[in-house]
Amino acid sequence: MDLRKEILTAHNKEHSLYIAGWIGQDAQRFALLMKLFLEDEYRVVQRSAWIISIVADKHPSLLEPHLQNMVSRMDMPGLPSAVKRNVLRVMQDMNLPPELHGEVMNACFHYIEDPKEMIAIKAFSMTVLANLAKAYPDIKNEIRVVLEDLLENDPSPGIRSRARKVMNSL
């Protein structure tokens, strides 16, 4: 399969599941997908992000060799929202290597504090930070302050719900 061509064929759940099924547990195929995700043009990157999240849900170990490259992109200007959303969605359910904790924390705090950022990205960032707070209890107060400020300025239902869950878990 020409993976790039196939990714550009369609952008829907059924097609993304088809490509994810083709990749399966194959580390080489997943590496091809990651190369497209990290290096290709906007549309390919955006579509690859969804497929990565599907594969990572079933086979999280495939993601481990690529985490550093993914985290390095998190603070890249102009990064598509779909990329941030899917990367954070995957990260909220995994144990990140300690060497990535600082970069991930900084990116998550930035996303939460950015008034222009999408609600889902903020919500996933909250969960990632709550998970990291287990290893770094010193950040709990900072998370609370940021979330209290967010609740005052962005009282959307999604933000309220996730912020309350995170604050109760701290």
Side-chain angles (χ1 to χ4, degrees):
M1 173 188 296
D2 180 342
L3 185 56
R4 185 178 192 281
K5 184 178 176 182
E6 194 63 39
I7 287 170
L8 290 170
T9 301
H11 185 55
N12 57 52
K13 185 175 182 177
E14 182 180 308
H15 195 68
S16 295
L17 288 169
Y18 165 73
I19 295 172
W22 177 78
I23 292 169
Q25 296 182 39
D26 190 310
Q28 289 180 318
R29 289 179 178 180
F30 190 74
L32 289 172
L33 177 64
M34 287 302 300
K35 183 172 176 49
L36 294 172
F37 171 72
L38 294 169
E39 299 174 9
D40 216 299
E41 51 107 1
Y42 175 85
R43 199 166 40 147
V44 175
V45 170
Q46 181 183 29
R47 293 178 182 190
S48 297
W50 192 7
I51 300 164
I52 287 168
S53 70
I54 294 168
V55 173
D57 282 346
K58 292 183 179 182
H59 312 290
S61 62
L62 289 176
L63 198 58
E64 291 172 14
H66 307 282
L67 279 173
Q68 177 62 59
N69 288 332
M70 291 174 75
V71 170
S72 297
R73 287 186 56 113
M74 290 177 74
D75 64 356
M76 198 171 120
L79 189 64
S81 295
V83 173
K84 291 185 266 190
R85 183 178 63 249
N86 284 296
V87 167
L88 289 165
R89 189 179 73 71
V90 169
M91 284 184 182
Q92 73 177 354
D93 296 323
M94 64 187 310
N95 291 321
L96 296 169
E99 61 271 13
L100 300 179
H101 289 178
E103 280 182 87
V104 172
M105 274 187 232
N106 288 338
C108 288
F109 276 117
H110 172 76
Y111 294 154
I112 291 170
E113 293 171 341
D114 184 349
K116 296 176 185 169
E117 198 57 78
M118 291 177 53
I119 291 171
I121 292 168
K122 290 181 181 193
F124 292 144
S125 293
M126 289 181 219
T127 303
V128 170
L129 286 172
N131 292 340
L132 290 171
K134 294 171 188 167
Y136 304 95
D138 294 351
I139 68 168
K140 288 180 180 181
N141 287 334
E142 186 176 354
I143 295 170
R144 280 189 188 101
V145 168
V146 169
L147 294 184
E148 287 168 0
D149 183 60
L150 185 63
L151 286 170
E152 283 182 32
N153 298 309
D154 185 3
S156 67
I159 293 293
R160 275 196 319 266
S161 174
R162 185 66 62 102
R164 285 185 186 132
K165 286 178 187 173
V166 167
M167 288 171 61
N168 289 334
S169 75
L170 296 177

